[in-house]
Amino acid sequence: MYLSVQLSCYPLKDDYKQPIWDLIARLEQTGLEVYPGRMSTEIFGEYDEVMNVLSDTMKWSFETYGKSVFVAKIMEGDRRPK
């Protein structure tokens, strides 16, 4: 099953840009299709792989940078930009 995800991360710290850049870089190294945007990042791939990457990436972010708020919209299907 293919997933389309729109993920936003809001680090709860004054220097919020670096954690976001590092999060996007980490997502881009996973082999999934990743499209960073101004307010969110779109991620596309097979269900199990996407969910594992989201779990691992959020855990890494919490352990590395502390408190953040994540907002994810997850849809079954291929909504990649054409």
Side-chain angles (χ1 to χ4, degrees):
M1 174 187 324
Y2 205 82
L3 284 186
S4 299
V5 177
Q6 184 181 43
L7 182 68
S8 298
C9 175
Y10 304 98
L12 301 179
K13 58 191 315 171
D14 290 335
D15 180 23
Y16 61 90
K17 290 182 181 180
Q18 191 63 50
I20 294 171
W21 292 331
D22 291 348
L23 180 88
I24 292 169
R26 188 173 176 93
L27 287 169
E28 290 176 331
Q29 294 173 359
T30 65
L32 295 174
E33 287 190 59
V34 176
Y35 298 91
R38 294 185 57 81
M39 296 296 293
S40 64
T41 298
E42 295 179 314
I43 306 159
F44 303 95
E46 291 298 323
Y47 181 91
D48 289 333
E49 187 177 1
V50 169
M51 296 306 283
N52 287 333
V53 164
L54 288 176
S55 177
D56 291 345
T57 302
M58 287 188 295
K59 182 178 180 183
W60 167 84
S61 177
F62 293 139
E63 291 173 346
T64 305
Y65 292 109
K67 293 184 174 140
S68 293
V69 175
F70 285 91
V71 178
K73 296 177 188 176
I74 302 171
M75 178 181 168
E76 187 275 325
D78 186 351
R79 301 294 297 167
R80 287 179 285 184
K82 298 187 188 248

